[in-house]
Amino acid sequence: MGVAITLVFLAIVIALAFRNSGRAARTAPTASTRRSPPKRSRPQQGGSARNAWLSGDLQQMIGALAAKAKLVDRHFLLMTIVQQTYRQRADPTMADKCAEVAQLHLDEFDQIKPALKRDMGFLPHVPTFQHYATLLTERGDFERAMNVCEAAIGHGLDDGTKGGYRGRIERIKKMRAKAKLASGAAAETSGTPTTRAKQVVPSTDLPQIVETLATSHQKRTRVQTARVLDLEGVPFVGLPRAPARWEERDTAKAQREDDGAEDFFELLGQPGWELLEPEKLPMTERPDPAYRRHFSARSGTFLVDDLGRAKAHSGAPCSVMSFGAQGEPLAERALAWDLYRLQVNPLGAGLAGISRNHVLHCYDERLTTLAAVPLAETPEVRAAKSRLEIPDLELHRHIRTGALRPDGKAYLFSVVDEAFAVGIEGDPLFGVRMPHQDGWEQVGSITSRSGSSTELDQAMSALGLAYPFDSQDVKGRYRQLVKEWHPDKNPGREQEAASEFRKVVSAAELLSGLDMSEFAAPEERAVYRKTLGERGEISAAGASISFEMSITGDARSAADWIYAASFSASGGAFVAGYSGKIVELDQTGQPTRLFATSSVPRRIADTGDYLYFLTDTRLYVIRGTRLCRVVDVFDNGELVVGETGFGLLGKKAFRWYSEDGRFAGGIRTKHPLRRIYPTAQGWRAETRQHRAELRNVPAWREQTA
């Protein structure tokens, strides 16, 4: 007798808890139940405030701030203004208005709180406190941000996160400590001018460098469809397996050549190279070690302080320095957003990054802003959040890549298993979705949606609404039904009319508080299963039992997450999934080539002649459909791509290779290597205190007549 036992390891994702503040039906202000002639009825006090926040029109709501209103109506008016301006806080004007109204809401909340509890029967969720705390933290006003959290705790409020406001305070304290550390480092060196500061003027005043985001991206509401890639028949290039990092750890340690040189600089390999006598750098010319990341492009090089530790830009999330093709300084700048993810195309002249709060920001070689896009507000990311039920607090983990096209006229980003190419002005180019990972199959589905189904169904029933509907439908039905059920319009039926009237008002308040872009009809959510393999049979007492190992999960579990993406030399793109599949796309998003390794690359670079995939342990050098070479990198090299070859930049070594992957030579240093770049005579390498000139070395770029 065979008994199959399936082990289930992943739970089915359930619907997210609905977070809107108007969740419960509250007792609406109504006319007295005593009989009064209609001619003596008076408009309800606070009607202007109520009509304003029910309208959803921001300007109308702001205009109603000065109007006299009931405390509950005043609460919803203030809260709705804060919510709308908070979503647009990348615009400095909206951020200021958000802070102004949020402070007003906090100042009045002591009076509002009893009225809320009395009218609704409980104290609802009040997002103003968490929005205001976040805004103040982003502005560096850590003390006031923590005071706002303490006030929320004092009122007995919760922000809906696991750690609550206590956890939020601890996170703010860590950010404050980091800012103080950066400020102290800058104070130690204050008054010491640097040569670089004379060449380029750094931007240290963050409010002056925050540009208004391109409105074309915010106005676009139509979702760009992501087409599932059909990889059947696509030319396939098989690549040798890339070992996992832990498999190569011991071997890598034995073979590394960058554990440090005995002298300040030493040559690796070629005896024909010439190393001139190193010179000690003056204090004013020593590179800031905060610029720890090095990227090469056709325009030159970028040095990036991704941790926000640059001495010249205290308090900035991060800073960037750019240099021309011969190492000449072009620009230095503090950025308004951090570089949680970062990419430079070797054929381009710019840089693209994604911040932790989901802003994709792109710059040219002089660090002029080309685009700044709040990805969380794009219709594509909103659709992905709904499709995959992505929590807001985890969104930064799901937006994986950002890239700038070499000509600077388009950008690319990915969210889970989808990638989208968009013109720099916001016009959609293409969207693709990776197929599910191998081995996963759909085995069922569940019905789910955002919010409390009972509350939503009751509210929709009270207004006579059905899917689909929008805010205009809510307002229309509200105006119609409040007239129909007003007690003054129903003599002899005042008690019944008052009850129905309250239901209508409460339902309108609940549905009007919804973000319609995140609210939809119930959906069938797919359930997937992956069989891990048979474990054989066990026989005992005349019976045999076979074990089958499997896991189940939702669409996020089965999805092949896009962990790397880049534009190609032809204007198309590469997208690489967690499975190790790497798909080359043309300019319309159609697949043209398929590659496969056992791990996703952390860098993809295409020069037109050669293609490079860099994983933690291997660098694949490809030309056309032919694998030219596999270079061991031992998780110790950043890829620096030139027009005539490429380099691997380690902590204390730089190795140069020809385009097809043949080792040509390199340099090793005693102290960490801060920068290396081509000059008219050869190369120049710099550590913290010393500089060396190299002659008779390969050219990084094609020589022009």
Side-chain angles (χ1 to χ4, degrees), residues 75-93:
H75 163 75
F76 283 107
L77 176 67
L78 294 170
M79 187 175 66
T80 308
I81 294 175
V82 171
Q83 287 177 311
Q84 288 205 20
T85 53
Y86 177 80
R87 286 196 291 265
Q88 303 177 56
R89 68 189 185 281
D91 182 339
T93 302

PDB file of all heavy atoms in Angstrom, residues 75-93:
ATOM      1  N   HIS A  75     -11.173  66.321  11.529  1.00  0.00           N
ATOM      2  CA  HIS A  75     -10.174  65.247  11.555  1.00  0.00           C
ATOM      3  C   HIS A  75      -9.969  64.649  10.169  1.00  0.00           C
ATOM      4  O   HIS A  75      -8.833  64.517   9.688  1.00  0.00           O
ATOM      5  CB  HIS A  75     -10.617  64.161  12.536  1.00  0.00           C
ATOM      6  CG  HIS A  75      -9.910  62.857  12.352  1.00  0.00           C
ATOM      7  ND1 HIS A  75      -8.608  62.640  12.753  1.00  0.00           N
ATOM      8  CD2 HIS A  75     -10.333  61.690  11.786  1.00  0.00           C
ATOM      9  CE1 HIS A  75      -8.252  61.401  12.457  1.00  0.00           C
ATOM     10  NE2 HIS A  75      -9.284  60.807  11.870  1.00  0.00           N
ATOM     11  N   PHE A  76     -11.077  64.274   9.510  1.00  0.00           N
ATOM     12  CA  PHE A  76     -10.950  63.643   8.200  1.00  0.00           C
ATOM     13  C   PHE A  76     -10.422  64.619   7.153  1.00  0.00           C
ATOM     14  O   PHE A  76      -9.704  64.228   6.229  1.00  0.00           O
ATOM     15  CB  PHE A  76     -12.292  63.049   7.765  1.00  0.00           C
ATOM     16  CG  PHE A  76     -12.620  61.766   8.456  1.00  0.00           C
ATOM     17  CD1 PHE A  76     -13.595  61.718   9.437  1.00  0.00           C
ATOM     18  CD2 PHE A  76     -11.941  60.603   8.148  1.00  0.00           C
ATOM     19  CE1 PHE A  76     -13.900  60.544  10.098  1.00  0.00           C
ATOM     20  CE2 PHE A  76     -12.232  59.413   8.791  1.00  0.00           C
ATOM     21  CZ  PHE A  76     -13.211  59.374   9.776  1.00  0.00           C
ATOM     22  N   LEU A  77     -10.755  65.889   7.284  1.00  0.00           N
ATOM     23  CA  LEU A  77     -10.235  66.896   6.358  1.00  0.00           C
ATOM     24  C   LEU A  77      -8.713  67.001   6.492  1.00  0.00           C
ATOM     25  O   LEU A  77      -7.984  66.928   5.492  1.00  0.00           O
ATOM     26  CB  LEU A  77     -10.881  68.249   6.646  1.00  0.00           C
ATOM     27  CG  LEU A  77     -10.353  69.438   5.815  1.00  0.00           C
ATOM     28  CD1 LEU A  77     -10.727  69.261   4.351  1.00  0.00           C
ATOM     29  CD2 LEU A  77     -10.904  70.754   6.354  1.00  0.00           C
ATOM     30  N   LEU A  78      -8.213  67.156   7.707  1.00  0.00           N
ATOM     31  CA  LEU A  78      -6.770  67.280   7.934  1.00  0.00           C
ATOM     32  C   LEU A  78      -6.040  66.012   7.504  1.00  0.00           C
ATOM     33  O   LEU A  78      -4.994  66.070   6.847  1.00  0.00           O
ATOM     34  CB  LEU A  78      -6.495  67.576   9.412  1.00  0.00           C
ATOM     35  CG  LEU A  78      -6.996  68.920   9.954  1.00  0.00           C
ATOM     36  CD1 LEU A  78      -6.874  68.961  11.469  1.00  0.00           C
ATOM     37  CD2 LEU A  78      -6.213  70.073   9.331  1.00  0.00           C
ATOM     38  N   MET A  79      -6.576  64.877   7.872  1.00  0.00           N
ATOM     39  CA  MET A  79      -5.910  63.612   7.566  1.00  0.00           C
ATOM     40  C   MET A  79      -5.831  63.369   6.058  1.00  0.00           C
ATOM     41  O   MET A  79      -4.804  62.901   5.541  1.00  0.00           O
ATOM     42  CB  MET A  79      -6.646  62.458   8.234  1.00  0.00           C
ATOM     43  CG  MET A  79      -5.934  61.112   8.109  1.00  0.00           C
ATOM     44  SD  MET A  79      -6.792  59.819   9.036  1.00  0.00           S
ATOM     45  CE  MET A  79      -8.318  59.711   8.100  1.00  0.00           C
ATOM     46  N   THR A  80      -6.889  63.691   5.340  1.00  0.00           N
ATOM     47  CA  THR A  80      -6.894  63.467   3.891  1.00  0.00           C
ATOM     48  C   THR A  80      -5.909  64.396   3.188  1.00  0.00           C
ATOM     49  O   THR A  80      -5.235  63.999   2.233  1.00  0.00           O
ATOM     50  CB  THR A  80      -8.313  63.664   3.335  1.00  0.00           C
ATOM     51  OG1 THR A  80      -9.229  62.871   4.083  1.00  0.00           O
ATOM     52  CG2 THR A  80      -8.376  63.245   1.874  1.00  0.00           C
ATOM     53  N   ILE A  81      -5.799  65.636   3.646  1.00  0.00           N
ATOM     54  CA  ILE A  81      -4.811  66.558   3.064  1.00  0.00           C
ATOM     55  C   ILE A  81      -3.401  66.022   3.287  1.00  0.00           C
ATOM     56  O   ILE A  81      -2.562  66.022   2.371  1.00  0.00           O
ATOM     57  CB  ILE A  81      -4.952  67.966   3.670  1.00  0.00           C
ATOM     58  CG1 ILE A  81      -6.292  68.599   3.270  1.00  0.00           C
ATOM     59  CG2 ILE A  81      -3.795  68.862   3.220  1.00  0.00           C
ATOM     60  CD1 ILE A  81      -6.561  69.933   3.933  1.00  0.00           C
ATOM     61  N   VAL A  82      -3.126  65.554   4.506  1.00  0.00           N
ATOM     62  CA  VAL A  82      -1.801  65.005   4.805  1.00  0.00           C
ATOM     63  C   VAL A  82      -1.503  63.808   3.910  1.00  0.00           C
ATOM     64  O   VAL A  82      -0.404  63.682   3.357  1.00  0.00           O
ATOM     65  CB  VAL A  82      -1.702  64.614   6.296  1.00  0.00           C
ATOM     66  CG1 VAL A  82      -0.415  63.837   6.565  1.00  0.00           C
ATOM     67  CG2 VAL A  82      -1.742  65.847   7.175  1.00  0.00           C
ATOM     68  N   GLN A  83      -2.467  62.913   3.738  1.00  0.00           N
ATOM     69  CA  GLN A  83      -2.247  61.724   2.916  1.00  0.00           C
ATOM     70  C   GLN A  83      -1.920  62.097   1.471  1.00  0.00           C
ATOM     71  O   GLN A  83      -0.998  61.542   0.864  1.00  0.00           O
ATOM     72  CB  GLN A  83      -3.476  60.818   2.962  1.00  0.00           C
ATOM     73  CG  GLN A  83      -3.652  60.091   4.291  1.00  0.00           C
ATOM     74  CD  GLN A  83      -4.922  59.267   4.321  1.00  0.00           C
ATOM     75  OE1 GLN A  83      -6.006  59.765   3.975  1.00  0.00           O
ATOM     76  NE2 GLN A  83      -4.819  58.020   4.732  1.00  0.00           N
ATOM     77  N   GLN A  84      -2.687  63.040   0.903  1.00  0.00           N
ATOM     78  CA  GLN A  84      -2.463  63.405  -0.497  1.00  0.00           C
ATOM     79  C   GLN A  84      -1.141  64.135  -0.695  1.00  0.00           C
ATOM     80  O   GLN A  84      -0.409  63.860  -1.643  1.00  0.00           O
ATOM     81  CB  GLN A  84      -3.627  64.257  -1.004  1.00  0.00           C
ATOM     82  CG  GLN A  84      -4.921  63.477  -1.203  1.00  0.00           C
ATOM     83  CD  GLN A  84      -5.829  64.145  -2.225  1.00  0.00           C
ATOM     84  OE1 GLN A  84      -5.392  64.949  -3.045  1.00  0.00           O
ATOM     85  NE2 GLN A  84      -7.101  63.798  -2.184  1.00  0.00           N
ATOM     86  N   THR A  85      -0.811  65.068   0.180  1.00  0.00           N
ATOM     87  CA  THR A  85       0.447  65.805   0.033  1.00  0.00           C
ATOM     88  C   THR A  85       1.646  64.921   0.343  1.00  0.00           C
ATOM     89  O   THR A  85       2.724  65.093  -0.233  1.00  0.00           O
ATOM     90  CB  THR A  85       0.466  67.041   0.939  1.00  0.00           C
ATOM     91  OG1 THR A  85       0.160  66.644   2.288  1.00  0.00           O
ATOM     92  CG2 THR A  85      -0.552  68.066   0.477  1.00  0.00           C
ATOM     93  N   TYR A  86       1.478  63.963   1.249  1.00  0.00           N
ATOM     94  CA  TYR A  86       2.575  63.037   1.578  1.00  0.00           C
ATOM     95  C   TYR A  86       2.963  62.207   0.361  1.00  0.00           C
ATOM     96  O   TYR A  86       4.145  61.976   0.118  1.00  0.00           O
ATOM     97  CB  TYR A  86       2.148  62.125   2.724  1.00  0.00           C
ATOM     98  CG  TYR A  86       3.186  61.088   3.100  1.00  0.00           C
ATOM     99  CD1 TYR A  86       4.271  61.415   3.905  1.00  0.00           C
ATOM    100  CD2 TYR A  86       3.075  59.773   2.651  1.00  0.00           C
ATOM    101  CE1 TYR A  86       5.217  60.460   4.253  1.00  0.00           C
ATOM    102  CE2 TYR A  86       4.010  58.816   2.993  1.00  0.00           C
ATOM    103  CZ  TYR A  86       5.083  59.169   3.787  1.00  0.00           C
ATOM    104  OH  TYR A  86       6.018  58.221   4.117  1.00  0.00           O
ATOM    105  N   ARG A  87       1.966  61.763  -0.396  1.00  0.00           N
ATOM    106  CA  ARG A  87       2.261  60.963  -1.587  1.00  0.00           C
ATOM    107  C   ARG A  87       3.005  61.778  -2.644  1.00  0.00           C
ATOM    108  O   ARG A  87       3.680  61.217  -3.502  1.00  0.00           O
ATOM    109  CB  ARG A  87       0.968  60.393  -2.177  1.00  0.00           C
ATOM    110  CG  ARG A  87       0.380  59.242  -1.375  1.00  0.00           C
ATOM    111  CD  ARG A  87      -0.647  58.481  -2.190  1.00  0.00           C
ATOM    112  NE  ARG A  87      -1.844  59.249  -2.444  1.00  0.00           N
ATOM    113  CZ  ARG A  87      -2.941  59.176  -1.704  1.00  0.00           C
ATOM    114  NH1 ARG A  87      -2.977  58.386  -0.655  1.00  0.00           N
ATOM    115  NH2 ARG A  87      -4.010  59.892  -2.018  1.00  0.00           N
ATOM    116  N   GLN A  88       2.880  63.115  -2.587  1.00  0.00           N
ATOM    117  CA  GLN A  88       3.546  63.983  -3.561  1.00  0.00           C
ATOM    118  C   GLN A  88       4.700  64.771  -2.922  1.00  0.00           C
ATOM    119  O   GLN A  88       5.105  65.803  -3.433  1.00  0.00           O
ATOM    120  CB  GLN A  88       2.531  64.958  -4.148  1.00  0.00           C
ATOM    121  CG  GLN A  88       1.328  64.298  -4.807  1.00  0.00           C
ATOM    122  CD  GLN A  88       0.326  65.321  -5.318  1.00  0.00           C
ATOM    123  OE1 GLN A  88       0.668  66.203  -6.113  1.00  0.00           O
ATOM    124  NE2 GLN A  88      -0.912  65.221  -4.860  1.00  0.00           N
ATOM    125  N   ARG A  89       5.250  64.258  -1.818  1.00  0.00           N
ATOM    126  CA  ARG A  89       6.238  65.025  -1.066  1.00  0.00           C
ATOM    127  C   ARG A  89       7.566  65.205  -1.790  1.00  0.00           C
ATOM    128  O   ARG A  89       8.406  65.977  -1.335  1.00  0.00           O
ATOM    129  CB  ARG A  89       6.497  64.375   0.297  1.00  0.00           C
ATOM    130  CG  ARG A  89       7.213  63.027   0.242  1.00  0.00           C
ATOM    131  CD  ARG A  89       7.210  62.389   1.620  1.00  0.00           C
ATOM    132  NE  ARG A  89       7.981  61.160   1.689  1.00  0.00           N
ATOM    133  CZ  ARG A  89       7.564  59.984   1.271  1.00  0.00           C
ATOM    134  NH1 ARG A  89       6.362  59.861   0.727  1.00  0.00           N
ATOM    135  NH2 ARG A  89       8.342  58.913   1.389  1.00  0.00           N
ATOM    136  N   ALA A  90       7.787  64.488  -2.894  1.00  0.00           N
ATOM    137  CA  ALA A  90       8.993  64.739  -3.685  1.00  0.00           C
ATOM    138  C   ALA A  90       8.988  66.159  -4.243  1.00  0.00           C
ATOM    139  O   ALA A  90      10.050  66.717  -4.535  1.00  0.00           O
ATOM    140  CB  ALA A  90       9.101  63.726  -4.821  1.00  0.00           C
ATOM    141  N   ASP A  91       7.806  66.735  -4.389  1.00  0.00           N
ATOM    142  CA  ASP A  91       7.674  68.141  -4.746  1.00  0.00           C
ATOM    143  C   ASP A  91       7.833  68.954  -3.461  1.00  0.00           C
ATOM    144  O   ASP A  91       7.046  68.800  -2.517  1.00  0.00           O
ATOM    145  CB  ASP A  91       6.290  68.379  -5.366  1.00  0.00           C
ATOM    146  CG  ASP A  91       6.093  69.829  -5.821  1.00  0.00           C
ATOM    147  OD1 ASP A  91       6.813  70.711  -5.323  1.00  0.00           O
ATOM    148  OD2 ASP A  91       5.211  70.067  -6.654  1.00  0.00           O
ATOM    149  N   PRO A  92       8.855  69.833  -3.360  1.00  0.00           N
ATOM    150  CA  PRO A  92       9.085  70.577  -2.119  1.00  0.00           C
ATOM    151  C   PRO A  92       7.869  71.349  -1.629  1.00  0.00           C
ATOM    152  O   PRO A  92       7.643  71.464  -0.423  1.00  0.00           O
ATOM    153  CB  PRO A  92      10.241  71.510  -2.488  1.00  0.00           C
ATOM    154  CG  PRO A  92      10.957  70.820  -3.602  1.00  0.00           C
ATOM    155  CD  PRO A  92       9.883  70.120  -4.374  1.00  0.00           C
ATOM    156  N   THR A  93       7.063  71.886  -2.548  1.00  0.00           N
ATOM    157  CA  THR A  93       5.872  72.631  -2.140  1.00  0.00           C
ATOM    158  C   THR A  93       4.877  71.718  -1.427  1.00  0.00           C
ATOM    159  O   THR A  93       4.292  72.083  -0.398  1.00  0.00           O
ATOM    160  CB  THR A  93       5.203  73.276  -3.370  1.00  0.00           C
ATOM    161  OG1 THR A  93       6.151  74.133  -4.027  1.00  0.00           O
ATOM    162  CG2 THR A  93       3.991  74.088  -2.968  1.00  0.00           C
TER     163      THR A  93
END
